Amino acid sequence: RNYSKNTRISYEAALSSFTGFLKERKLSVNPPFEYSRSVMRDFLVDLKQRKKLKETTIAHRVFVLRSFFKYLQRKRKVEVNPASFLISPKKRKSLPSFLTVSQMEELLKLPPREDIGGLRDSSILELFYSTGMRLSELADLKLSSIDFDRELIRVMGKGEKERIIPVGEEALSVLKSYLDKRNSDLKDPTLVDSEVLFLNPSGKKLTSRSIARIVKKHAQKVSEDKKTSPHKLRHTFATHLLDSGMDIMAVKDLLGHSNLSTTQIYTHVTTER
């Protein structure tokens, strides 16, 4: 199905959770499966009461189990889908959290632009706010992804879907300064021409987890929300654009959403417009 790496990891985690549950109860993890409704129901109870997982996580695991056994049915490994009767818990509808314009302006001024670390952090924050891209998309950026002359960035989104996003002059200016400093400061000169855009001090690719930590470190200084993440900057990007009067279809394309319904949640949080 051409799913992204993160989707595949989440599917594997869901199935591993189920097999772990079965092993605890000394039940078979291989075909033929003989799971009663009570076994499947106990699994959901275990997720909610013992592991205290959120409704969204439990709903995802139900979906994965249904999909998995449906696949096994197609392959004629099983006759019955034991997960077909499971009912997903209702997801709580929560509005996306975002930073105000003044908070965002303050955040962008925080990293010092005199050293390589500050320039890198500043470039990351500027790109998130200027493009609204996902964390995984930013982490995978390459030098060839940036078109400085035309002020565009090419990103590879979910399902390996490519999209072109315009990027602001300020973000590009900071990024240029970072690349100049990076190439002269790298400890290993053989990595100067590395295709990876954001590197750690050792010249290796900056991981998604490290980027998230960088965002959180700076964002906590302008927001009381201690869980501020790169995704909150994506919410901020979309909300500010809609507040400024941008057409929702344009915002949908910039975010790389497949369905307009995913983008429409932002119409509930825009206030200025």
Side-chain angles (χ1 to χ4, degrees):
R1 292 184 180 179
N2 204 26
Y3 282 164
S4 70
K5 180 183 177 182
N6 288 341
T7 299
R8 297 196 299 271
I9 289 172
S10 73
Y11 274 44
E12 184 178 358
L15 292 176
S16 295
S17 171
F18 183 58
T19 54
F21 169 82
L22 295 175
K23 286 174 182 176
E24 284 178 4
R25 282 153 182 74
K26 295 181 170 51
L27 295 169
S28 170
V29 296
N30 298 307
F33 302 107
E34 296 178 357
Y35 305 142
S36 63
R37 287 193 171 201
S38 61
V39 170
M40 304 302 291
R41 200 178 290 114
D42 285 348
F43 175 58
L44 296 194
V45 172
D46 185 68
L47 294 179
K48 185 172 182 64
Q49 295 184 0
R50 187 165 71 96
K51 296 187 176 175
K52 301 191 184 304
L53 298 183
K54 294 180 180 177
E55 285 87 350
T56 49
T57 305
I58 296 174
H60 178 261
R61 297 205 172 163
V62 169
F63 169 78
V64 171
L65 281 177
R66 279 207 211 103
S67 178
F68 175 64
F69 284 112
K70 196 174 180 181
Y71 166 79
L72 291 180
Q73 277 183 307
R74 285 202 309 271
K75 295 292 182 181
R76 306 197 176 191
K77 300 285 186 185
V78 296
E79 291 183 10
V80 180
N81 183 342
S84 60
F85 82 96
L86 291 177
I87 298 173
S88 297
K90 287 187 178 180
K91 299 178 185 177
R92 293 179 186 173
K93 291 186 178 179
S94 57
L95 294 178
S97 172
F98 63 97
L99 297 176
T100 64
V101 172
S102 58
Q103 283 177 322
M104 197 65 225
E105 288 175 346
E106 187 181 346
L107 175 61
L108 294 176
K109 293 175 183 175
L110 283 178
R113 298 186 178 183
E114 295 78 34
D115 59 72
I116 184 68
L119 283 170
R120 182 201 60 195
D121 292 3
S122 190
S123 297
I124 288 170
L125 294 175
E126 288 279 359
L127 280 180
F128 272 131
Y129 186 51
S130 187
T131 65
M133 69 176 76
R134 301 177 179 93
L135 171 60
S136 59
E137 294 169 347
L138 188 135
D140 290 337
L141 283 178
K142 297 179 172 55
L143 291 173
S144 57
S145 306
I146 319 292
D147 187 333
F148 285 97
D149 295 328
R150 297 169 63 198
E151 299 182 347
L152 298 170
I153 289 186
R154 185 177 71 255
V155 301
M156 197 62 70
K158 288 185 175 180
E160 302 298 310
K161 291 179 183 176
E162 184 184 87
R163 71 183 188 281
I164 308 294
I165 313 175
V167 58
E169 290 181 3
E170 182 65 21
L172 287 176
S173 174
V174 178
L175 187 56
K176 277 183 181 176
S177 299
Y178 161 69
L179 289 173
D180 289 342
K181 185 76 172 165
R182 186 196 84 172
N183 292 348
S184 60
D185 282 14
L186 268 181
K187 294 175 183 176
D188 186 349
T190 62
L191 293 171
V192 169
D193 296 322
S194 170
E195 256 295 284
V196 177
L197 189 62
F198 291 112
L199 304 175
N200 61 26
S202 302
K204 295 181 179 179
K205 179 183 175 181
L206 200 63
T207 64
S208 294
R209 186 172 292 182
S210 295
I211 293 172
R213 276 199 296 262
I214 288 168
V215 171
K216 185 176 180 179
K217 178 183 75 173
H218 294 295
Q220 283 181 336
K221 297 174 184 175
V222 301
S223 171
E224 293 180 358
D225 181 5
K226 299 305 177 186
K227 295 182 180 179
T228 300
S229 65
H231 210 69
K232 186 168 184 173
L233 298 189
R234 182 169 158 87
H235 292 326
T236 302
F237 164 84
T239 304
H240 290 183
L241 285 180
L242 286 170
D243 272 344
S244 302
M246 179 174 272
D247 181 76
I248 192 169
M249 291 299 291
V251 176
K252 168 184 170 292
D253 291 342
L254 290 173
L255 291 171
H257 286 162
S258 299
N259 301 309
L260 184 61
S261 59
T262 312
T263 320
Q264 282 176 327
I265 190 169
Y266 294 108
T267 61
H268 299 298
V269 296
T270 54
T271 53
E272 295 299 322
R273 194 175 172 201

